[in-house]
Amino acid sequence: MPKTDLYDADIVAWAEQQAHWLRAGALDRLDLEHLAEEIEDVGKSEQRELASRLSLLLAHLLKWQFQPKRRGNSWQRTIREQRRSIKARLDRTPSLMAMLRDATWLDEIWADAVADAVGETGLSAFPDDCPWRLTDVLEVDWLPE
C-alpha cells in the first residue's frame, strides 16, 4: 500500500510505519508531507489544550465574581485544577508562553469564557474585555472579589 494510502486508511498503522522507518534510517521511505503535518498538529493540539483550560478557568472566575452566593468547593476545585494544569503544561512546553503574550489569542479565549459563563449562568452583564491581569488569573490563591 502506498504511504499516502495508508495514512488515509489507518493513521495509527501509518504512524507506526513512519516511526519504524525513522529508527531504521530509511528516510527515503518516509511520507514527509504528512509527517510534517502531524508534527505541526502536535503543537496545535498543545495550543488548543492551553486555550481550553484557560477559557474554563476564566469562565469559573467570572462565575465566582458575578455569582457570589453560588460560590462553592466545586468551583474552587475547578479553578485550582485548571491553574495546576496550565502551569504543568507551560512547564513542559515553555514555548506556549508566547500564546499568553498574544493579545488576539487572549481576546478569543476571553470571548469563549464569556460565552460559557453566559450559557451557564444566564447572566449577560460580563465585561467585554478581561478585567484581570493574567498574572493574577494564574496566581494560585487569587480570586476576584
Side-chain angles (χ1 to χ4, degrees), residues 74-138:
S74 171
W75 287 359
Q76 284 182 310
R77 274 192 307 277
T78 299
I79 289 167
R80 189 172 38 252
E81 172 58 24
Q82 297 316 307
R83 285 179 173 149
R84 185 203 61 74
S85 182
I86 289 168
K87 181 184 181 322
R89 190 157 301 283
L90 292 171
D91 288 347
R92 279 193 316 270
T93 315
S95 63
L96 287 174
M97 288 296 291
M99 302 304 297
L100 299 179
R101 293 186 293 273
D102 182 334
T104 302
W105 185 81
L106 287 170
D107 287 345
E108 291 172 8
I109 302 307
W110 179 253
D112 290 344
V114 168
D116 288 346
V118 167
E120 290 182 28
T121 66
L123 303 174
S124 60
F126 297 116
D128 291 333
D129 299 310
C130 184
W132 314 305
R133 295 180 319 180
L134 190 57
T135 54
D136 290 336
V137 167
L138 298 176

Side-chain angles (χ1 to χ4, degrees), residues 1-22:
M1 180 179 296
K3 53 190 171 187
T4 14
D5 290 347
L6 183 57
Y7 178 84
D8 294 331
D10 186 342
I11 195 162
V12 172
W14 171 88
E16 290 171 358
Q17 181 184 65
Q18 297 302 300
H20 170 76
W21 286 338
L22 273 170

